[in-house]
Amino acid sequence: MKPMNERYKILFESVEIGPKVAKNRFYQVPHAMGSGNDMPNTRAAQRGIKAEGGWGVVNTGYCSIHPSSDDRPLPFARLWSEKDIASHVPMVEAVHEHDALAGIEFFHGGAYTANRHTRMPPISPSGIQQKVSELMDMHLTAPKVMDKKDIKDLIQWHVIAAERAIQAGFDIIYCYAGMGFLPYHFLHPTFNNRNDEYGGSLENRSRLMRELISEMKEVAGDRAAIAVRMSTDELLTFKSESSESEAHEFFEINGEFPDLWDIKMSSWFKECPSGRFAESGHMEPYNSFVKKLTSKPVVGVGWFTSPDIMAKQINDGILDFVGAARASIADPFLPNKLKEGREDDIRECIGCNICASCYNQGIPVRCTQNPSMGEEWRRGWHPEKIKPKSSDNSVLVIGGGPAGLEATLSLARRGYSVAIADSNKELGGRINMESKLPGMTSYKRVVDYRVNQINQLSNVDVFLDNTLSPDDVLELGFDHVVTATGSAWQPSIMDEKSAPVLIDKTDTIFTPENVLNGCELKSPVIIFDFDYYYMGGLMAEYIKDLGHEVTIITPFDKVSPWSFNSNEIDEIQLRLQEKDIRVITQCRIKKVKDSSVKLIHKVSHEETDIDRGSLVLVGYRKQNDSLFSDLNSREEDLKTSGIKSLQNIGDSNAPGAVVHAVFAGHLYANTFDQEDNCSDDNFKLEYPVIQ
Ligand code: ADP
Ligand code: SF4
């Protein structure tokens, strides 16, 4: 084992949090993982793996303390009754097993929660609903105005839940005064118009929080620390008569009350933007002032992916703990790797926000870089360990994109002798092209990590600039063959049933690959985008940056509509606007003419002609599966050449996002020569106890 690099030593100092001591400064802040109380084993394994990897503090996601804060259908955690305690115990035990502190984030959503299941009226300081623009968060009930008894009840619910959390074994208990949730709305002058002792001055608006902290501390004693999670960005913009801003005044009044401050933004989109739209450390303007106003430890996030940036946050006196969600998802073993002098082995987060998209869709977390994330319990996968080989079979992997690279790396880690071949001069597949697009450089980390790891292994042969034909494959004499030959965008428009229709390509009609390979474009460039994800908007930006006039047309209400899930949707629309790219929504192309396209509106069916130079079509990707299909049809030849199995994975099997390709590569390698304990026919689930 190599010694730890001196410059990271500061990250391994212990820090007191009230009556508890964190063994280091690596702090997995509360974040959703899509596993509420209904998936206690999944949750325990997801969080436990981070403790095993060295994170000093590991928190739950948001945990509702009372039925008046019911966030269904999203998979929030719960402590509504004594019966909910047991569900949390496996996670606490999994975290404690590795000497880390376990924290629980209490959540009362107030006006934000729809209470769709419990049917209780939402509650708020002044009955004001914070309007949202996304359907998923809209609800039809304005909140009830809380009276004094409601306030007393709210405090009591926190106290009762705190006792339950302590019984479950948690070391840190949060009061959550962030986003649009209830304690935050008390702080916020727009949502708190009360004229009693809980409204008016900041001293009064923060009274509820002080009472919550004080009562929770009373019940916790030295059994648990009490933390506050707090949004500062809006208070920083509010003027204060006695201080620099209301945020400053807030900490001057309340700075010493809890045992720890966890600083965040008032909107998740702002706090967790994708790497395409944010820099590491982007939260500094909102958290750097806090440490000057309190003696209590401060934790903050900000897409910290590199250990140098993490150490800088501590050295510069900005934070006491390096808060992370994504860095701990992409590499749960980041702290241990640093400790062992293995910083080059860190699987660095690419900022794609696929993990965030899982919360928005209510499913267990998935990660592009770390295919084992979310599969720890169900499939028994581990980010650093994999079963050793069970035979001396050799494997030929054809295609060096994310699927082929992950398959190669994981097979080689198991000890198999692997060869990987690719037509290109470089490994990386689609990523080599896509990472040239604006803001997409970090995607290259998917390739860099795997190539760097593969280069350290002696049982992998790499054949570049090698396009394999079916006969080549049959002659090569491998025991097993896997094709990961990718997919290609097709020149297609969309019919009235929203299905793709291929059209003849001319010298003015292009796909994204043509554009990235430098085809000659002519203004005005029209992009027709019926893909849900990032490619259409990126094409528009890229072509605009080349100096062309660009119009993007989409049949949807917004460009890249799926990107709501990855917290990117607003940024994408803003970027198009900033770059002066014309956007036409709710239309599809009915007819392509030589120098124009005929559009038809989805609702009105009105038809319009738009002039065009080049036309770029983004919407339909088709498998490059001819190699697989040909080989698969030659059963006898496969037998004669000694090939025992042939499989097709990744985009050449089912075109998807990079996360799907990496997962497919890992699934192939992990289950190669093995029984899958979570096969398609035997999908492992957690079952409720019938009472
Ligand atoms: P995925 O996302 O599924 O990994 P990619 O499109 O990123 O797919 O990568 C597929 C890779 O397969 C590309 O780099 C391409 O050059 C390579 N490839 C396709 N056909 C062949 C072939 N017949 N022989 C070798 N490499 C191939
Ligand atoms: Fe990072 Fe993407 Fe993994 Fe999330 S899914 S942790 S953003 S690499």
Side-chain angles (χ1 to χ4, degrees):
M1 194 166 52
K2 282 199 320 197
M4 187 197 327
N5 191 318
E6 282 294 316
R7 62 183 194 275
Y8 305 135
K9 276 210 165 130
I10 195 164
L11 295 170
F12 290 89
E13 290 169 350
S14 61
V15 181
E16 281 179 21
I17 309 175
K20 301 284 174 172
V21 180
K23 67 177 176 185
N24 60 35
R25 298 180 187 269
F26 293 99
Y27 193 106
Q28 183 245 272
V29 291
H31 70 87
M33 295 267 259
S35 50
N37 281 35
D38 303 338
M39 300 172 85
N41 296 308
T42 303
R43 176 167 62 193
Q46 284 170 333
R47 307 278 179 191
I49 201 76
K50 300 179 183 203
E52 186 185 336
W55 294 81
V57 180
V58 177
N59 285 285
T60 62
Y62 66 149
C63 175
S64 171
I65 54 158
H66 189 263
S68 56
S69 176
D70 154 33
D71 205 20
R72 285 235 176 165
L74 292 173
F76 59 100
R78 200 176 60 215
L79 258 183
W80 291 353
S81 93
E82 295 284 316
K83 286 184 183 165
D84 285 325
I85 297 172
S87 161
H88 291 276
V89 172
M91 173 196 147
V92 173
E93 287 176 349
V95 170
H96 283 170
E97 194 184 325
H98 301 285
D99 205 18
L101 298 179
I104 182 164
E105 182 190 40
F106 281 4
F107 159 73
H108 198 297
Y112 157 81
T113 44
N115 303 338
R116 294 179 180 95
H117 184 196
T118 62
R119 305 179 80 171
M120 296 173 77
I123 53 175
S124 81
S126 302
I128 302 166
Q129 190 176 21
Q130 186 168 1
K131 294 288 183 184
V132 293
S133 53
E134 301 305 335
L135 186 61
M136 183 180 88
D137 294 329
M138 289 178 190
H139 58 89
L140 304 179
T141 334
K144 165 188 191 283
V145 181
M146 290 169 76
D147 59 23
K148 291 281 176 60
K149 176 170 181 312
D150 294 323
I151 292 177
K152 270 202 174 122
D153 287 347
L154 178 73
I155 295 170
Q156 198 51 25
W157 299 335
H158 278 80
V159 167
I160 293 168
E163 182 55 43
R164 290 177 184 152
I166 290 166
Q167 281 178 36
F170 284 104
D171 307 289
I172 302 169
I173 304 173
Y174 269 73
C175 165
Y176 196 171
M179 312 269 227
F181 306 147
L182 185 50
Y184 183 64
H185 271 186
F186 268 86
L187 294 177
H188 201 298
T190 309
F191 299 100
N192 181 350
N193 300 331
R194 300 177 74 94
N195 47 26
D196 60 7
E197 67 269 34
Y198 293 98
S201 67
L202 188 56
E203 169 94 35
N204 277 357
R205 280 182 274 133
S206 52
R207 184 180 309 280
L208 171 75
M209 190 192 290
R210 285 192 301 280
E211 290 180 358
L212 281 171
I213 298 168
S214 140
E215 297 284 328
M216 285 164 75
K217 279 193 144 186
E218 178 78 31
V219 70
D222 60 5
R223 297 182 297 163
I226 304 300
V228 173
R229 197 164 211 209
M230 161 90 196
S231 298
T232 53
D233 52 319
E234 291 182 310
L235 293 186
L236 276 165
T237 67
F238 298 153
K239 284 206 173 67
S240 156
E241 279 176 17
S242 61
S243 195
E244 218 176 307
S245 74
E246 280 216 341
H248 291 79
E249 188 188 338
F250 172 86
F251 285 99
E252 282 156 12
I253 301 170
N254 303 298
E256 296 305 309
F257 276 87
D259 296 317
L260 173 138
W261 290 104
D262 179 341
I263 307 303
K264 65 173 343 225
M265 300 284 275
S266 58
S267 130
W268 199 39
F269 275 25
K270 285 192 211 152
E271 177 172 286
C272 187
S274 76
R276 196 176 148 191
F277 298 108
E279 296 289 322
S280 204
H282 63 95
M283 288 274 298
E284 226 174 280
Y286 312 104
N287 59 30
S288 54
F289 71 100
V290 178
K291 254 183 78 58
K292 298 181 189 98
L293 301 172
T294 176
S295 67
K296 305 294 175 175
V298 178
V299 57
V301 290
W303 194 41
F304 305 128
T305 65
S306 105
D308 290 300
I309 292 173
M310 293 176 177
K312 190 169 183 317
Q313 293 287 312
I314 311 297
N315 282 322
D316 291 356
I318 296 166
L319 299 171
D320 296 292
F321 285 104
V322 177
R326 288 173 288 183
S328 71
I329 294 171
D331 199 336
F333 279 66
L334 184 148
N336 283 358
K337 286 179 183 174
L338 286 182
K339 209 172 192 176
E340 294 160 11
R342 296 172 51 217
E343 48 271 26
D344 292 344
D345 292 336
I346 291 171
R347 212 183 296 104
E348 195 173 353
C349 167
I350 69 168
C352 60
N353 273 2
I354 284 293
C355 49
S357 79
C358 296
Y359 163 72
N360 285 329
Q361 297 170 94
I363 52 165
V365 70
R366 277 87 182 75
C367 171
T368 300
Q369 273 287 54
N370 174 10
S372 67
M373 182 45 69
E375 303 293 344
E376 298 86 354
W377 174 77
R378 199 164 48 157
R379 289 193 151 93
W381 288 2
H382 189 282
E384 303 301 316
K385 295 181 206 153
I386 192 161
K387 302 164 221 105
K389 66 176 182 175
S390 52
S391 71
D392 285 329
N393 284 322
S394 59
V395 188
L396 172 63
V397 179
I398 307 161
L405 281 174
E406 176 62 28
T408 302
L409 174 60
S410 295
L411 283 166
R413 281 182 172 160
R414 292 188 58 194
Y416 290 100
S417 160
V418 192
I420 178 167
D422 198 288
S423 314
N424 292 322
K425 292 193 170 73
E426 257 187 295
L427 290 169
R430 62 185 277 196
I431 300 236
N432 289 342
M433 271 201 330
E434 291 181 18
S435 58
K436 287 186 215 157
L437 290 163
M440 295 291 280
T441 341
S442 57
Y443 278 58
K444 197 78 173 60
R445 292 172 190 169
V446 173
V447 178
D448 294 344
Y449 166 73
R450 287 169 177 80
V451 171
N452 177 33
Q453 296 293 305
I454 287 171
N455 286 342
Q456 295 172 39
L457 298 167
S458 57
N459 51 339
V460 182
D461 290 319
V462 180
F463 300 100
L464 295 174
D465 208 1
N466 239 302
T467 301
L468 298 185
S469 68
D471 288 335
D472 295 334
V473 176
L474 293 169
E475 272 164 33
L476 280 168
F478 282 86
D479 298 314
H480 296 268
V481 174
V482 55
T483 52
T485 45
S487 62
W489 293 96
Q490 305 295 307
S492 60
I493 54 174
M494 196 179 103
D495 71 9
E496 65 277 13
K497 295 292 287 178
S498 304
V501 190
L502 286 175
I503 59 165
D504 290 334
K505 237 172 141 207
T506 67
D507 59 1
T508 59
I509 298 181
F510 301 110
T511 64
E513 284 100 347
N514 302 142
V515 173
L516 286 164
N517 285 327
C519 67
E520 202 175 314
L521 293 163
K522 234 171 71 193
S523 285
V525 177
I526 302 289
I527 299 169
F528 178 55
D529 171 24
F530 61 107
D531 181 46
Y532 296 129
Y533 202 16
Y534 52 64
M535 187 53 82
L538 282 170
M539 275 288 116
E541 277 193 56
Y542 182 78
I543 296 170
K544 184 76 192 190
D545 291 348
L546 293 175
H548 293 281
E549 192 187 317
V550 180
T551 298
I552 181 163
I553 299 160
T554 174
F556 310 119
D557 296 345
K558 283 181 178 171
V559 174
S560 308
W562 190 90
S563 305
F564 164 76
N565 293 315
S566 53
N567 291 356
E568 291 172 299
I569 192 140
D570 288 350
E571 300 287 357
I572 291 173
Q573 319 306 313
L574 181 65
R575 187 60 63 79
L576 296 173
Q577 206 178 5
E578 282 168 355
K579 289 199 171 169
D580 202 17
I581 293 163
R582 185 180 173 207
V583 178
I584 299 178
T585 59
Q586 297 203 313
C587 285
R588 67 181 173 86
I589 292 181
K590 190 174 178 191
K591 193 161 194 298
V592 178
K593 303 181 192 171
D594 283 346
S595 57
S596 66
V597 286
K598 184 177 284 302
L599 303 187
I600 177 161
H601 193 273
K602 193 172 93 179
V603 183
S604 68
H605 302 293
E606 197 179 311
E607 297 188 1
T608 334
D609 279 317
I610 307 234
D611 288 344
R612 76 168 180 98
S614 303
L615 174 63
V616 178
L617 298 170
V618 187
Y620 174 36
R621 265 196 303 148
K622 192 175 163 344
Q623 296 84 345
N624 290 334
D625 57 1
S626 56
L627 178 63
F628 171 79
S629 309
D630 187 307
L631 285 168
N632 203 31
S633 66
R634 293 167 66 175
E635 219 174 296
E636 278 309 308
D637 293 343
L638 287 171
K639 258 193 212 147
T640 317
S641 64
I643 295 176
K644 296 174 193 161
S645 81
L646 168 71
Q647 211 169 308
N648 187 26
I649 61 166
D651 290 333
S652 54
N653 186 41
V658 179
V659 62
H660 302 116
V662 173
F663 175 74
H666 193 83
L667 181 66
Y668 176 81
N670 207 310
T671 55
F672 179 75
D673 262 358
Q674 298 275 325
E675 285 278 302
D676 183 6
N677 71 346
C678 183
S679 67
D680 292 347
D681 298 332
N682 180 28
F683 194 80
K684 195 173 163 194
L685 289 169
E686 297 190 49
Y687 288 96
V689 175
I690 310 293
Q691 296 163 0

